[in-house]
């Protein structure tokens, strides 16, 4: 029972490198998840393959038309699938949401563009709206990539070591401790003595103290 993700976007090539590289590329090659990227213009009805139009009521910018998006979603959706729209006015995306999405069987990710999309798409076809942060991207394709990357890490087998999941930030609600590797001495900077000591209890204590310190400095909101 693996996860299939359909991405609907006006810029499918933005995802080419992303899906082929690194841990995600390996996870897809190994069959832990499948990602299908679709060009929304394939569902446009006119000869110019128009996907946007001026907003009713006036105002700047263009709005994504309902017809191509309705046709696209109706074609790729399956019973029980989760249809998600990426938008800066969506619910803030978190690690908890990523984990929950990783347990689904089928996701449809709709990436918006222009000043937005026709509200009827959101009213009728969208189950969940997600924002990846308080800033506005030129389109939602990178946001879809972020969601895919974050949820893929929760799919069993995608990360080699289970441990790298349990130890990290946002699973524990603390930020990470600093990491070092060889050489122990580099340009006059040395690795903290405790990490070379082999004393695992002391190492754990030191790491936890660094996590608290870092979290207090950078993200005090996580400690509340
Ligand atoms: N589309 C544009 N900006 C976005 C954001 N911050 N999150 C999700 N989708 C977006």
């Amino acid at each position: 029972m693996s996860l299939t993700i359909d991405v609907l976007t006006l810029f499918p090539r933005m995802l080419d490198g992303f899906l082929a590289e690194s841990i995600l590329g390996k996870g897809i090659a190994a069959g832990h998840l499948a990602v299908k990227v679709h060009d929304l213009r394939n569902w446009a009805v006119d000869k110019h393959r128009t996907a946007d139009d001026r907003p009713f009521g006036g105002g700047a910018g263009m709005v994504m038309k309902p017809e191509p998006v309705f046709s696209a979603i109706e074609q790729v959706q399956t019973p029980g699938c989760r249809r998600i729209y990426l938008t800066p006015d969506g619910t803030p995306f978190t690690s908890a949401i990523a984990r929950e999405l990783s347990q689904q069987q089928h996701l449809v990710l709709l990436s918006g563009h222009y000043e937005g999309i026709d509200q009827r798409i959101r009213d009728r076809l969208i189950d969940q709206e997600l924002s990846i942060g308080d800033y506005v991207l030129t389109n939602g394709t990178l946001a879809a990539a972020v969601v895919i990357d974050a949820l893929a890490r929760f799919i069993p087998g995608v990360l080699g070591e289970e441990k790298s999941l349990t130890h990290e930030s946002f699973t524990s609600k603390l930020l990470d401790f600093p990491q070092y590797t060889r050489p122990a001495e580099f340009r006059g900077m040395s690795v903290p003595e405790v990490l070379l000591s082999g004393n695992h209890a002391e190492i754990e204590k030191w790491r936890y103290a660094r996590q608290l310190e870092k979290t207090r400095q950078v993200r005090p909101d996580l400690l509340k």
Side-chain angles (χ1 to χ4, degrees):
M1 197 180 71
S2 85
L3 171 62
T4 299
I5 304 173
D6 283 282
V7 185
L8 303 173
T9 170
L10 290 167
F11 307 100
R13 283 178 304 162
M14 283 183 73
L15 297 175
D16 286 352
F18 163 69
L19 292 172
E21 291 295 322
S22 188
I23 289 175
L24 192 65
K26 287 192 195 118
I28 291 169
H32 295 305
L33 74 163
V35 183
K36 299 185 230 168
V37 182
H38 308 273
D39 187 342
L40 271 171
R41 288 192 196 281
N42 291 340
W43 284 277
V45 285
D46 63 319
K47 72 169 191 282
H48 302 295
R49 306 219 296 163
T50 310
D52 62 318
D53 208 336
R54 285 168 304 168
F56 279 126
M62 300 293 268
V63 175
M64 238 153 95
K65 291 168 63 59
E67 304 96 313
V69 181
F70 265 75
S71 301
I73 292 183
E74 282 164 359
Q75 186 171 331
V76 303
Q77 70 187 355
T78 54
C81 76
R82 179 86 59 87
R83 300 162 301 183
I84 298 168
Y85 173 49
L86 286 312
T87 175
D89 58 7
T91 305
F93 182 58
T94 60
S95 186
I97 295 174
R99 182 193 293 272
E100 195 262 328
L101 293 179
S102 75
Q103 291 156 3
Q104 301 296 312
Q105 281 185 55
H106 185 196
L107 304 176
V108 176
L109 302 185
L110 173 64
S111 141
H113 188 40
Y114 313 109
E115 305 308 304
I117 66 174
D118 190 286
Q119 182 61 33
R120 290 165 291 190
I121 299 165
R122 301 169 75 156
D123 291 345
R124 195 58 75 76
L125 293 177
I126 295 301
D127 303 307
Q128 188 170 23
E129 301 186 331
L130 294 177
S131 164
I132 64 161
D134 288 342
Y135 41 79
V136 181
L137 304 167
T138 56
N139 74 86
T141 311
L142 282 179
V146 166
V147 169
I148 293 170
D149 195 288
L151 72 83
R153 301 176 68 260
F154 289 104
I155 298 174
V158 167
L159 292 185
E161 276 176 88
E162 286 302 319
K163 209 170 156 222
S164 34
L165 257 186
T166 49
H167 251 69
E168 69 175 329
S169 303
F170 302 113
T171 303
S172 64
K173 286 281 183 192
L174 287 179
L175 301 185
D176 269 354
F177 49 77
Q179 298 277 19
Y180 296 88
T181 187
R182 281 178 289 186
E185 192 75 37
F186 178 68
R187 298 195 180 183
M189 299 177 282
S190 42
V191 170
E193 204 61 49
V194 61
L195 298 178
L196 311 174
S197 68
N199 184 334
H200 289 289
E202 281 304 310
I203 292 172
E204 289 289 311
K205 241 168 71 185
W206 180 86
R207 285 179 164 169
Y208 185 62
R210 298 289 79 71
Q211 285 189 277
L212 281 177
E213 189 177 70
K214 177 86 180 178
T215 309
R216 213 173 278 129
Q217 279 169 6
V218 179
R219 291 292 304 275
D221 57 298
L222 292 177
L223 294 172
K224 282 186 206 119

